[in-house]
Amino acid sequence: MTRKNGEPGRSTIRDVAARAGVSASTVSRVLAGDYPVSAATRARVLRAVREMDYVADARAKAVAGVGTPTLAFVLEDITGPSFAHMAHGVEREAARLGHLSLVCSTDGDVRRELEFIEMMRAQRAAAVILVGGAADTPEYRERTRRIADSLASAGSRLVLCGRPPLGPGAPVTVIEYDNEGGAHALAAHVLAQGHRRVLFLGGKPDHTTAMGRERGYLAAHRARGLEPDPALLLHGDFTRDSGHRLMREALARKLEFTAVVAATDMVAAGALTALHEAGLDVPGDVSLAGYDDIPFARDLHPALTTVHVPYEELGRLAVRTALGHGAESADEHLLLGTHVVVRDSVAAHSGH
């Protein structure tokens, strides 16, 4: 089809109406299937739709409050394995409940996040699910509270997964897993094997997920009357490259340690490579543990001791909870448990 300016363009509902010899509202009724239309008229409209290759504008349908209801899933990095499993849980549960799920990866850009959320509000998405830790600052709380209120005014619901809560009264659902408890249990397991100098490869110091895991590591030591050497706490991010870099740095500085607790399995994978490159055996020379229990953790050599986080169930629960609440309902805070998965990468150490 050609527009008046000679440029090819997409057929509109008015084009279809003209071809079928009916009004645009009749075309809408036929496509929506929610209004009685004669068989002859329906056949004529559907034939015009096929001939003109007409595709309904999903955004217009959403704004009009018809069509498939939508859920939005917003995360920083879609390539992260743990987030990918959470996204899978969101998508499966949304589909089961008859909703379409849209995914936005922000690459940490707050402006992009806000723009996407505003678009979802305008389209009357049933819920917006924000995933991943953040810096818990007054600015974060104020910005996110405004988002929650804005979505609620449009009949939507904000769900925070692994993000800091906003305080009482906000129309938001917070779903977390026990970051600190999981790290405490993991570090306690390592200490129970006789290790006393345990290197911690953490994330960004102001990141709430990273902070929770570091607190658990510290608390496990202090519960045994130990005070970790501050030199053994290194900070980077949650990636494989960070683990590799931090481990090489620790070895270059000749830090003394017999075990390593990594903030994520990806960090542990990078650390494992660096240890192998240095000619060190795991767990013969150095024990190593991770966090997340992403699928490849069991396929590392040796298989990685780690903390299991129910990421897919977290995504499913986020959808069920969001759709089970009116937008006007007050804040709700849910906490999922974690547990240590013991594999082959941590061994007993007899020295003190």
Side-chain angles (χ1 to χ4, degrees), residues 110 113-114 138-148:
V110 173
E113 178 179 288
L114 293 174
E139 292 76 17
Y140 159 81
R141 287 175 178 258
E142 181 182 352
R143 181 179 71 247
T144 311
R145 178 62 182 258
R146 286 200 305 269
I147 290 171

Side-chain angles (χ1 to χ4, degrees), residues 56-350:
D57 187 338
R59 175 160 46 181
K61 292 177 72 175
V63 171
V66 299
T68 304
T70 302
L71 287 163
F73 182 73
V74 186
L75 68 169
E76 182 173 327
D77 179 11
I78 199 171
T79 64
S82 56
F83 287 163
H85 282 278
M86 194 183 302
H88 182 66
V90 168
E91 193 280 329
R92 292 291 296 273
E93 191 67 13
R96 187 182 74 83
L97 297 174
H99 284 61
L100 176 69
S101 55
L102 300 178
V103 178
C104 174
S105 181
T106 66
D107 294 322
D109 185 339
V110 173
R111 182 182 306 173
R112 176 172 169 77
E113 178 179 288
L114 293 174
E115 288 174 351
F116 182 75
I117 293 170
E118 175 57 29
M119 183 171 68
M120 289 299 96
R121 188 193 69 80
Q123 294 190 17
R124 299 181 186 176
V128 174
I129 302 169
L130 295 184
V131 177
D136 190 5
T137 63
E139 292 76 17
Y140 159 81
R141 287 175 178 258
E142 181 182 352
R143 181 179 71 247
T144 311
R145 178 62 182 258
R146 286 200 305 269
I147 290 171
D149 289 339
S150 176
L151 288 170
S153 69
S156 184
R157 180 79 179 178
L158 179 65
V159 182
L160 304 178
C161 283
R163 289 206 176 190
L166 305 181
V172 64
T173 296
V174 178
I175 303 177
E176 295 185 285
Y177 51 89
D178 193 359
N179 252 314
E180 184 172 342
H184 187 291
L186 181 66
H189 171 71
V190 173
L191 293 169
Q193 307 311 304
H195 298 278
R196 291 297 177 267
R197 292 191 62 81
V198 182
L199 179 67
F200 182 77
L201 304 182
K204 299 174 182 177
D206 64 346
H207 189 278
T208 52
T209 302
M211 291 166 61
R213 295 180 186 185
E214 185 171 323
R215 283 196 304 270
Y217 161 88
L218 294 172
H221 281 77
R222 290 164 182 163
R224 287 178 169 264
L226 304 171
E227 189 61 37
D229 182 350
L232 295 180
L233 275 71
L234 303 183
H235 298 99
D237 56 39
F238 282 172
T239 64
R240 178 265 176 205
D241 289 347
S242 178
H244 187 262
R245 175 179 56 81
L246 291 176
M247 180 54 67
R248 291 188 64 182
E249 176 186 324
L251 295 171
R253 290 167 54 188
K254 300 188 183 303
L255 294 177
E256 294 183 12
F257 56 92
T258 62
V260 181
V261 169
T264 70
D265 292 344
M266 294 297 290
V267 171
L272 180 62
T273 298
L275 288 166
H276 285 165
E277 289 171 348
L280 295 171
D281 179 72
V282 176
D285 297 314
V286 179
S287 288
L288 175 66
Y291 202 118
D292 286 334
D293 194 26
I294 58 180
F296 84 74
R298 71 194 70 173
D299 297 320
L300 293 174
H301 184 70
L304 188 66
T305 291
T306 184
V307 175
H308 178 76
V309 179
Y311 283 111
E312 186 164 336
E313 176 55 28
L314 195 68
R316 289 179 178 273
L317 182 61
V319 173
R320 291 196 301 270
T321 306
L323 298 182
H325 284 273
E328 73 283 353
S329 56
D331 60 295
E332 180 178 30
H333 198 150
L334 306 175
L335 183 68
L336 276 66
T338 56
H339 64 269
V340 175
V341 179
V342 177
R343 297 196 179 102
D344 304 326
S345 62
V346 174
H349 177 69
S350 57

